[in-house]
Amino acid sequence: MIYAGQSGHPGGSLSSVEILAALFLRVMRHDPANPQWPDRDRFILSKAHCVPVLYAFLAECGYLADEELLTFRRLNSRLQGHSKMNSVPGVEMSGGSLGQGLSFSTGHCLAARLDGRDYRAYCLLGDGEQDEGQVWEAAMAAAHYGLGNLTAIVDRNGVQNDGYVKDIMRQEPLADKWRAFGWDVQEIDGHDQQAVIEAIERSRGVTGKPSMVIAATIKGKGVSFMQNTAAWHGKAPNADERERALAEIGA
Amino acid sequence: MTTVAAAAATREALGPTLIKLREQGLDIAVVDGDLGISTTARLFGDKFPERFFTLGPAEQNMIGIAAGLAAAGKIAFASTFAVFMPGRCYDQLRVSVSQPNLNVKLFASHGGITTGEDGISAQAIEDLGLMCSLLNFHIVVPADVVEAASAIEVAAQTPGPFYIRAGRPKIPVIYEPDHEFELGKADLVRPGHDLTIIATGIMVSQALAAAETLAALGIDARVLNLSTWRPLDTVAIEAAARETGAIVTAEEHLVHTGLGALVAQHLAGVAPVPMGFVGMRSYAESGKWDELVEKYGLSPADIVREAQAVIARKR
């Protein structure tokens, strides 16, 4: 997809694969034949530049045809470079400016409560995104309103646009910060598929407070030359790199 | 249209109108940026606490939550002061509301310099320029409390995002209680043939006072209340240019990014006529609102002076 468009963000897409697999293939209540189903669970991609992994799972679930994936980022495609709602079924929010998804998810959760509906919102954030002040405004608000129907997940791959997160802006102790804001917090290996499923399932049982799952991941997971490097945050592979990458991940 | 001897602030329309709309069954939810007493949104919260969400002065989050509520089907109202919204949440308005065209209604109170004593940090003279730069928003600046209430009802019943700008001080009530605001339609509040004063917000009553003075000088001024900035009533503006041959715009906002710029841009393409501009050209300062209006060129006398200058350039 990213090769075909010669543009996009492979690193943060690959680090989120197990998280989206758990949500779209196991945990979430959704119906590809009825993407506007009022009782569907909402998946909110706050790190909207990693939309290639979302499109891949939307195709896997039948929201999109596989062939359409190759139109990503090209003229006249529905598959915009950052996720855009009202364009592709299954894309719940327009993003691309970091920090906005958790607030949006909070709005959905408040509406669910008002309407007496039992759907949940699952919001995926990046770790570089934790630098945005709005994230912490939303963290405070979701806890204030006791939103047990909200699960946020941080794809903590340790790399952001210009370098390692630890060098750009220290975030430690991240889990303690979320706990201090009143959230239930779990820390897991974000590439252990079973652990990801179990943590998200467990979050569904938390009541009276929102849930955070901090998933330790590897940027560019599965592709040796992309792993753990900022260089592959927002760049497309060439033909040779594409072949090597597909061979390594066994696609 | 008659001038009623009452005075009220446009912001006073918010709480009572929201209550009325909810009582009619509209699926309204309100987010508030810790200024609900001043904006009067709090009145709605007292009546419908489960539908009123205090978020503190955290405008970015407030807009994101409003967008989420709207995406889930609510008519989402957000209210705070005009300096903070759009100023403090412009990017959230752009990405989370304007681009997906969500059903979020912004009610921004304390617009303009008439906020008064707090001084320039609290005086929104750029807000409408920022909002005009965002696509999809309907933009409304009511001229009095009656029009404000009617505009809130229209906004609630019209799909898509709105920006309604209200003010702090008590200003003349110019409309009868049964007046109905029409979105996208400039209201002819005084007929006239020699020039047209296109006014908005508090400047409508100032323009009416100016027109009285001009009449005594033998100048027959038309006054249009241009409360809807978008969609712009190009028909009324163009007719004013063709029929009266001269235009003065009057606004409580920076002229170069405001109503004057909007009207001039349109007329330049279809019916260019001599134009004058009454509005803000600098930051103001602390002071009583009526003193500020005098000092910073928003008084009826300023409109009269501009009108005379434009008339002199006709033909």
Side-chain angles (χ1 to χ4, degrees):
Chain A
M1 193 183 331
I2 294 170
Y3 170 75
Q6 275 302 297
S7 173
H9 296 80
S13 294
L14 289 166
S15 60
S16 295
V17 169
E18 287 84 356
I19 296 164
L20 271 82
L23 289 168
F24 277 91
L25 306 181
R26 290 294 291 275
V27 181
M28 283 204 313
R29 182 171 69 196
H30 67 120
D31 179 4
N34 187 8
Q36 293 301 313
W37 181 26
D39 288 316
R40 71 193 183 281
D41 289 334
R42 271 67 164 172
F43 174 70
I44 310 292
L45 183 65
S46 195
K47 48 178 240 162
H49 57 289
C50 297
V51 73
V53 70
L54 174 56
Y55 292 149
F57 277 96
L58 291 177
E60 178 70 22
C61 293
Y63 289 94
L64 296 174
D66 288 350
E67 309 83 74
E68 191 174 354
L69 296 178
L70 299 180
T71 68
F72 173 58
R73 284 185 176 239
R74 293 164 78 170
L75 198 63
N76 301 322
S77 172
R78 294 190 298 172
L79 306 188
Q80 293 295 293
H82 295 161
S83 52
K84 177 170 177 281
M85 67 183 290
N86 307 325
S87 172
V88 180
V91 173
E92 297 277 4
M93 189 190 93
S94 289
S97 176
L98 290 173
Q100 302 195 24
L102 198 58
S103 304
F104 194 84
S105 304
T106 298
H108 264 296
C109 291
L110 291 170
R113 179 184 287 179
L114 261 183
D115 290 340
R117 297 185 186 276
D118 68 349
Y119 66 78
R120 297 184 67 79
Y122 296 95
C123 180
L124 179 60
L125 302 122
D127 53 355
E129 189 175 13
Q130 307 294 297
D131 298 349
E132 290 280 5
Q134 188 185 354
V135 170
W136 301 97
E137 293 182 1
M140 207 163 8
H144 177 78
Y145 285 101
L147 296 180
N149 53 355
L150 173 60
T151 297
I153 302 146
V154 172
D155 176 0
R156 190 187 204 183
N157 59 37
V159 180
Q160 59 194 98
N161 194 67
D162 279 4
Y164 293 109
V165 170
K166 63 180 168 55
D167 298 328
I168 302 283
M169 181 55 64
R170 187 177 64 228
Q171 296 180 344
E172 289 303 317
L174 187 62
D176 287 345
K177 286 176 181 165
W178 283 96
R179 279 188 201 100
F181 272 74
W183 287 55
D184 179 85
V185 179
Q186 304 177 74
E187 293 182 273
I188 58 162
D189 174 353
H191 295 308
D192 177 341
Q193 187 66 72
Q194 196 55 36
V196 176
I197 293 170
E198 285 171 9
I200 297 174
E201 286 285 7
R202 186 190 157 278
S203 77
R204 295 166 59 89
V206 174
T207 56
K209 57 162 95 170
S211 293
M212 167 55 72
V213 176
I214 298 176
T217 61
I218 296 167
K219 193 134 179 167
K221 170 69 175 176
V223 179
S224 57
F225 57 89
M226 289 186 181
Q227 284 193 174
N228 202 28
T229 167
W232 285 94
H233 170 86
K235 155 176 126 165
N238 62 29
D240 174 55
E241 289 161 343
R242 170 180 177 272
E243 291 310 313
R244 286 160 54 205
L246 290 177
E248 287 189 23
I249 61 179
Chain B
M1 211 288 304
T2 57
T3 300
V4 182
T10 45
R11 63 189 161 107
E12 293 174 52
L14 182 62
T17 307
L18 290 176
I19 290 169
K20 176 181 163 189
L21 292 170
R22 176 60 200 149
E23 284 173 343
Q24 289 171 357
L26 270 70
D27 195 3
I28 286 171
V30 179
V31 294
D32 167 63
D34 201 30
L35 288 165
I37 295 169
S38 296
T39 66
T40 75
R42 191 58 178 261
L43 298 172
F44 177 89
D46 292 341
K47 187 105 178 173
F48 302 105
E50 75 286 0
R51 290 179 171 270
F52 183 76
F53 303 107
T54 59
L55 296 166
E59 296 79 10
Q60 302 180 12
N61 183 49
M62 177 177 75
I63 295 305
I65 290 179
L69 285 163
K74 303 295 156 205
I75 303 169
F77 275 83
S79 77
T80 182
F81 287 178
V83 279
F84 305 129
M85 178 182 77
R88 201 65 188 262
C89 49
Y90 179 81
D91 185 48
Q92 285 71 19
L93 292 173
R94 177 175 177 269
V95 177
S96 284
V97 180
S98 165
Q99 291 185 346
N101 199 20
L102 283 170
N103 201 23
V104 173
K105 321 298 182 184
L106 311 179
F107 187 90
S109 179
H110 291 53
I113 60 172
T114 53
T115 292
E117 292 85 344
D118 281 348
I120 61 172
S121 78
Q123 293 166 352
I125 55 174
E126 316 87 346
D127 57 314
L128 290 155
L130 287 169
M131 292 312 302
C132 284
S133 74
L134 292 175
L135 299 175
N136 289 328
F137 271 94
H138 305 81
I139 301 170
V140 182
V141 186
D144 75 356
V145 70
V146 174
E147 189 174 46
S150 184
I152 292 164
E153 292 189 34
V154 168
Q157 288 154 355
T158 306
F162 272 73
Y163 182 75
I164 301 175
R165 189 225 225 188
R168 177 186 182 215
K170 290 190 184 296
I171 58 172
V173 178
I174 62 171
Y175 287 114
E176 298 290 348
D178 61 351
H179 173 78
E180 288 188 8
F181 164 75
E182 266 189 83
L183 183 65
K185 184 116 170 38
D187 189 40
L188 179 69
V189 288
R190 179 187 172 109
H193 299 93
D194 294 335
L195 87 157
T196 303
I197 305 166
I198 300 180
T200 193
I202 67 159
M203 298 306 288
V204 177
S205 53
Q206 304 287 67
L208 287 168
E212 292 293 321
T213 306
L214 288 167
L217 299 170
I219 297 171
D220 180 25
R222 178 183 299 185
V223 180
L224 282 180
N225 168 18
L226 200 133
S227 45
T228 308
W229 287 36
R230 186 192 290 147
L232 193 65
D233 188 349
T234 54
V235 172
I237 291 170
E238 209 174 313
R242 292 192 198 284
E243 290 163 14
T244 69
I247 302 278
V248 170
T249 58
E251 61 192 305
E252 191 191 4
H253 188 273
L254 287 174
V255 165
H256 71 278
T257 60
L259 183 65
L262 277 184
V263 172
Q265 183 188 30
H266 179 71
L267 288 180
V270 293
V273 295
M275 283 191 70
F277 306 93
V278 173
M280 296 300 294
R281 289 179 166 80
S282 68
Y283 289 122
E285 63 186 291
S286 291
K288 289 189 169 37
W289 74 270
D290 48 346
E291 298 168 344
L292 290 168
V293 162
E294 292 292 326
K295 178 167 178 179
Y296 288 90
L298 305 182
S299 71
D302 295 298
I303 299 174
V304 167
R305 198 176 313 115
E306 198 73 7
Q308 289 173 310
V310 170
I311 292 270
R313 290 195 284 127
K314 270 179 84 169
R315 261 172 284 119

